[in-house]
Amino acid sequence: MPEPRLVIFDVDGTLVDSQEMIVAAFTHAYAGLDLAPPPRDQMLRFVGRSLELIFPELSPELDAPLHDKLTQGYRDAYFHLRKTRGSNATSPLYPGAMQALETLRAQDWTLLAVATGKSKRGLDKLIEGYGLEGYFLSQQVADFHPSKPHPAMVQTCLNETGVAAERTVMIGDTTFDIDMGRAAGVKTIGVSWGYHPVETLQADTIIHSFDALHSAIDDLIGLET
């Protein structure tokens, strides 16, 4: 059997397309304070960062108490939308995502993990909604780590699985994901269907559909050393 390898996925913008719910939650947060929301592209630019860090960067003209209120307003709106509509409607999987996960999971030498800016509650609900219990050996969320692109999430994945950095790849759609992976010393795959312009991603390789994922993983970290 080949030596174990680790494949780490970002979630929003990589596995699921939650941009409509994200924009709706941002819009609700600002509307709750009678403030005009920023343009859509600016909102999506910060996807992947820890929520507490987003509003000071997105609206630096506002003070800290307003940033805190926006953060809570976003959380309340996000959880309400997910509760009332369900994960499948608010965060649909991208075409080919489930098949890709199933194929990788079936490989005894491939371990799966996630490193996401979601909260633990948010990730748990998503996993439950899609029946992905048991798929990810390591699940790293924003609650317990510095925000991306700090490498702590990836480093913890490595520690929990015992897989070496050179046998690991990080897959994501934002510069935060790619910079995080690079900072942790792992290979990186950028996806072109996410929330950051593909030309801004400085990944080791870029894929344009899940059909290309497996060969990209094999090319970067191989089947065996």
Side-chain angles (χ1 to χ4, degrees):
M1 182 186 299
E3 184 178 341
R5 62 184 187 175
L6 177 62
V7 179
I8 308 173
F9 288 93
D10 167 57
V11 178
D12 292 308
T14 300
L15 290 175
V16 300
D17 186 5
S18 50
Q19 62 177 305
E20 294 307 324
M21 185 164 69
I22 289 171
V23 170
F26 271 123
T27 301
H28 176 88
Y30 281 94
L33 297 178
D34 293 323
L35 297 171
R40 179 189 181 93
D41 63 332
Q42 290 186 25
M43 298 178 192
L44 294 177
R45 188 183 307 162
F46 290 95
V47 174
R49 295 276 279 162
S50 294
L51 191 56
E52 290 78 8
L53 299 181
I54 290 178
F55 289 106
E57 297 183 34
L58 188 57
S59 297
E61 73 282 2
L62 302 178
D63 59 22
L66 284 178
H67 292 152
D68 292 341
K69 290 180 180 179
L70 286 169
T71 299
Q72 190 58 50
Y74 179 98
R75 284 198 175 101
D76 292 344
Y78 196 96
F79 292 134
H80 175 74
L81 286 167
R82 188 184 59 214
K83 182 178 180 179
T84 55
R85 296 178 58 194
S87 295
N88 292 35
T90 55
S91 298
L93 285 163
Y94 283 106
M98 181 62 79
Q99 182 178 356
L101 291 173
E102 291 174 348
T103 300
L104 289 169
R105 189 191 185 204
Q107 299 172 350
D108 292 337
W109 61 91
T110 301
L111 307 178
L112 302 182
V114 291
T116 175
K118 283 183 174 298
S119 66
K120 184 179 187 303
R121 179 167 62 167
L123 180 61
D124 288 347
K125 288 294 185 181
L126 187 76
I127 287 174
E128 177 185 355
Y130 282 109
L132 294 174
E133 296 90 344
Y135 274 66
F136 304 109
L137 186 60
S138 182
Q139 300 174 21
Q140 305 311 314
V141 295
D143 306 55
F144 311 120
H145 294 285
S147 180
K148 298 176 183 181
H150 192 284
M153 290 189 192
V154 173
Q155 291 168 340
T156 302
C157 288
L158 298 177
N159 290 336
E160 289 188 353
T161 61
V163 178
E166 59 267 23
R167 295 284 294 158
T168 301
V169 62
M170 175 71 210
I171 303 166
D173 69 301
T174 71
T175 57
F176 308 131
D177 300 317
I178 303 307
D179 291 346
M180 175 179 65
R182 185 180 298 110
V186 306
K187 295 296 186 180
T188 57
I189 296 175
V191 304
S192 65
W193 54 80
Y195 303 153
H196 280 194
V198 67
E199 62 269 16
T200 67
L201 304 180
Q202 300 297 314
D204 292 304
T205 192
I206 301 290
I207 61 172
H208 301 285
S209 76
F210 274 105
D211 291 339
L213 178 61
H214 304 295
S215 61
I217 294 171
D218 290 346
D219 289 345
L220 288 176
I221 58 176
L223 289 175
E224 56 186 325
T225 56

